[in-house]
Amino acid sequence: MRSDTIKQGLERTPHRALLKGTGVPQSAFDKPFIGVATSFTDLIPGHVGMRDLERFIEKGVHSGGGYAFFFGIPGVCDGIAMGHRGMHYSLPTRELIADMVESVAEAHRLDGLVLLTNCDKITPGMLMAAARLDIPCIVVTAGPMMSGRGEGDRKYSFVTDTFEAMARYKAGVIDAKELQVCEDNACPGMGSCQGLFTANTMAILTETLGMSLPRCGTALAVSALKRRIAFASGERIVELVQNNVTPRSILTRAAFENAIRVDLALGGSSNTVLHLLAIAREAGVDLPLETFDQLAKETPQLASMNPAGEHFMEDLDTAGGVAGVLKQLGNKIKDNPTVLGISTLQLAASVENVDETVIRPLDNPVKQEGGIAVLFGNIAPKGAVVKQSGVSAAMMQFEGTARCFDSEEAAMAAIMEGRITSGDVVVIRYEGPKGGPGMREMLAPTAAIMGMGLGDSVALITDGRFSGGTRGPCIGHISPEAAEGGPIALIEEGDRIRLDIPNRQLQLLVDDELLAARRTRWTAPEPKIRTGWLARYAKVVTSAHTGAVTTAE
């Protein structure tokens, strides 16, 4: 066992003494040492229930014959970090999380890991660490929140009933009382936000990749099932250690293609593009950005999920969950191992009934193409990403006038002050991985556009990114970013921009000679943040089309 390095032999007497100082009994030194990386925090609804799940994981580890050690991992709530300086830190924490898990596991020579996680950047950070370490790992995502309840059959969700409600109130569509009702009911308790936002999309994709047990991606945070999954995961990690089943044997090219197809079939968050690219890189799997678009053209969207659709995570869970989606996708899914020990096709075959009102069959899809499209053009030579499942038919092709802003705050002020009107294309730049730094989410401006009734007449493009809750014609991840001199930096107020999602085009309608002249006048801006670790992050982070990863190069 790896842990023998710190617990066996005469020269490890000091190490054993320190371990005994933590309470480890002599009988435990012959057992696998299992680390439980937990992102419990009182700050995030998706994580407040983890103390309970920790108990069940620990019970499972000890029942399986291992010895459990807990260590903490930080978490940032994107919703709370949204719209202010805090959002600069969200995406970069993904790298911190991967580095922290690696550091503890290597320094203490742990035999295996249970990764207890839930929200947006925490789950991919954990998976990056698993792929990098390649020691036995299993992931437990803490589960989605129940939808809020209102009068009659009204269901509330976090994004549409807070961010968009804020804009509807500003526009005079709802009054202060209704706004307060939204605030009070949108988040009824523990769990990740109820729709197919980034946290829940990543939980689903973790299960699809084969790195968590069946139903883990959809079982509600408040459910007894989630406790049982936590216990079973604790037991299973010991078996994975005993059989030396490591993440890279599961995180194959086939696994990533399956994950992309499930994402496309459900119309999931565009942030998953960044995260799957980053995880694949750690796993040594070649996964170019173009793969997402290639698969999107042959993978129909089978579900209509909140925020762009009608169904919530609780509906998807009872309809068949991830296994139900795999079953409906049929021969589009490739066989691949999972941490349970059965393959993806065996998992799909185990589902007897799928509620086809929630997860439709291939011959009756919600849309003919998957939920994500990758666009190219003279604005985005290396690509841009749009969640096309959230775009209305009227806005799939659009031409408008550029309104340029060099920060999210400037754009948000213009939207809330009524300076953005029908026919505009809002351009938010210098918000990419380097320029932000941290590639902030633009949920506030996109929700404001929707809430003010401009979703079918205004587009938004950015080198930043979007929340999984974003809907409407919002194009993000534009690469190269403005801070690197990408063409988005050369757009000027009043330019015409053409968006053509069916043909995967994003074009600035300015001739090449004029753009070349503008480039000669462009100079790189001063960094927005010059101190702290984000200043270091900005120097080593790569472009969005590579997953916005950090390198030593």
Side-chain angles (χ1 to χ4, degrees):
M1 290 185 288
R2 273 169 47 100
S3 61
D4 286 349
T5 304
I6 62 169
K7 64 187 184 185
Q8 297 296 328
L10 175 65
E11 69 278 11
R12 298 308 181 215
T13 300
H15 303 66
R16 290 192 297 273
L18 288 167
L19 288 166
K20 288 180 178 178
T22 71
V24 176
Q26 184 66 42
S27 60
F29 286 97
D30 292 328
K31 298 178 179 180
F33 277 11
I34 305 299
V36 183
T38 171
S39 55
F40 166 79
T41 173
D42 287 326
L43 287 167
I44 309 175
H47 296 238
V48 294
M50 287 184 177
R51 282 289 180 251
D52 186 52
L53 297 179
E54 289 170 3
R55 292 175 55 233
F56 282 84
I57 290 170
E58 186 176 32
K59 288 178 182 179
V61 169
H62 288 282
S63 295
Y67 194 88
F69 298 87
F70 288 88
F71 62 96
I73 294 298
V76 166
C77 176
D78 280 23
I80 296 172
M82 195 78 64
H84 56 85
R85 181 182 173 89
M87 182 48 70
H88 288 291
Y89 289 86
S90 175
L91 181 61
T93 62
R94 186 189 70 180
E95 316 307 308
L96 281 183
I97 289 162
D99 293 348
M100 291 179 70
V101 173
E102 175 195 359
S103 298
V104 174
E106 291 285 54
H108 295 269
R109 309 308 295 160
L110 298 171
D111 297 303
L113 296 170
V114 180
L115 305 170
L116 178 57
T117 174
N118 213 20
C119 288
D120 296 32
K121 311 309 168 299
I122 304 153
T123 299
M126 297 275 203
L127 285 167
M128 288 168 67
R132 183 187 302 172
L133 288 162
D134 201 33
I135 64 173
C137 294
I138 193 167
V139 181
V140 178
T141 48
M145 186 187 295
M146 293 179 63
S147 59
R149 290 296 191 271
E151 294 183 2
D153 60 355
R154 171 71 188 273
K155 289 184 177 181
Y156 288 93
S157 80
F158 168 63
V159 172
T160 53
D161 292 304
T162 55
F163 280 93
E164 291 184 20
M166 174 181 64
R168 289 197 296 272
Y169 172 75
K170 180 75 173 179
V173 177
I174 62 175
D175 60 19
K177 180 179 179 182
E178 186 170 350
L179 182 66
Q180 187 67 48
V181 170
C182 291
E183 180 181 321
D184 291 343
N185 289 278
C187 295
M190 69 178 67
S192 49
C193 304
Q194 307 98 324
L196 203 60
F197 312 128
T198 307
N200 289 327
T201 308
M202 282 308 306
I204 286 169
L205 299 192
T206 301
E207 183 180 335
T208 306
L209 286 166
M211 288 300 295
S212 59
L213 296 181
R215 294 282 299 279
C216 190
T218 56
L220 292 176
V222 296
S223 66
L225 174 60
K226 183 61 74 174
R227 284 179 159 193
R228 294 195 293 272
I229 290 170
F231 179 86
S233 298
E235 282 191 312
R236 182 61 183 155
I237 188 59
V238 180
E239 295 174 347
L240 294 174
V241 168
Q242 291 167 343
N243 296 319
N244 195 31
V245 178
T246 65
R248 290 195 182 189
S249 67
I250 294 169
L251 294 173
T252 66
R253 170 74 187 213
F256 285 100
E257 288 190 14
N258 288 343
I260 293 170
R261 286 193 188 275
V262 168
D263 193 0
L264 294 167
L266 292 174
S269 167
S270 60
N271 279 320
T272 56
V273 176
L274 285 175
H275 301 325
L276 289 176
L277 291 173
I279 298 162
R281 178 177 177 273
E282 296 286 0
V285 173
D286 182 32
L287 189 69
L289 176 62
E290 290 80 0
T291 307
F292 290 80
D293 202 55
Q294 292 164 3
L295 296 179
K297 292 176 180 177
E298 58 184 63
T299 308
Q301 183 184 338
L302 303 182
S304 175
M305 297 292 296
N306 180 274
E310 60 181 307
H311 297 298
F312 291 77
M313 286 296 293
E314 58 210 52
D315 303 316
L316 180 63
D317 185 51
T318 56
V322 171
V325 181
L326 296 175
K327 185 178 184 70
Q328 296 295 74
L329 284 169
N331 61 12
K332 293 185 180 296
I333 292 299
K334 295 182 177 180
D335 212 14
N336 200 70
T338 72
V339 289
L340 180 59
I342 66 172
S343 72
T344 49
L345 294 187
Q346 289 174 318
L347 182 60
S350 71
V351 180
E352 295 183 4
N353 298 300
V354 176
D355 182 349
E356 295 191 342
T357 64
V358 179
I359 313 170
R360 295 191 188 184
L362 283 171
D363 59 4
N364 182 31
V366 175
K367 293 182 179 179
Q368 291 299 324
E369 289 191 352
I372 290 172
V374 180
L375 313 182
F376 292 90
N378 63 353
I379 296 178
K382 293 186 178 180
V385 175
V386 61
K387 183 177 175 179
Q388 64 174 340
S389 59
V391 181
S392 68
M395 292 298 288
M396 293 293 283
Q397 293 176 309
F398 177 75
E399 184 177 317
T401 303
R403 302 296 307 280
C404 300
F405 304 94
D406 290 348
S407 70
E408 177 190 4
E409 289 83 359
M412 188 64 179
I415 295 166
M416 297 304 284
E417 291 166 10
R419 291 188 278 124
I420 301 301
T421 58
S422 179
D424 286 343
V425 178
V426 177
V427 179
I428 306 178
R429 58 197 176 192
Y430 299 105
E431 291 287 6
K434 288 183 182 295
M439 203 180 181
R440 291 193 290 175
E441 286 186 349
M442 304 291 147
L443 176 57
T446 59
I449 287 170
M450 295 299 294
M452 298 181 82
L454 297 171
D456 281 339
S457 61
V458 170
L460 189 153
I461 70 172
T462 181
D463 53 6
R465 60 193 176 87
F466 297 112
S467 162
T470 293
R471 58 195 180 107
C474 303
I475 296 85
H477 305 201
I478 289 177
S479 299
E481 63 175 289
E484 292 187 327
I488 189 174
L490 308 180
I491 301 172
E492 293 186 359
E493 191 84 2
D495 285 347
R496 299 291 289 177
I497 293 174
R498 181 179 296 148
L499 165 65
D500 187 346
I501 296 174
N503 292 304
R504 306 302 198 255
Q505 289 290 308
L506 180 62
Q507 293 287 345
L508 176 63
L509 304 182
V510 172
D511 62 50
D512 293 342
E513 291 78 10
L514 181 54
L515 280 180
R518 290 179 183 179
R519 181 168 295 284
T520 63
R521 299 192 300 269
W522 180 83
T523 57
E526 291 294 321
K528 293 180 182 177
I529 295 177
R530 302 188 183 191
T531 60
W533 81 276
L534 286 183
R536 300 194 300 275
Y537 171 86
K539 294 177 180 179
V540 295
V541 68
T542 64
S543 173
H545 77 281
T546 64
V549 297
T550 55
T551 68
E553 300 170 2

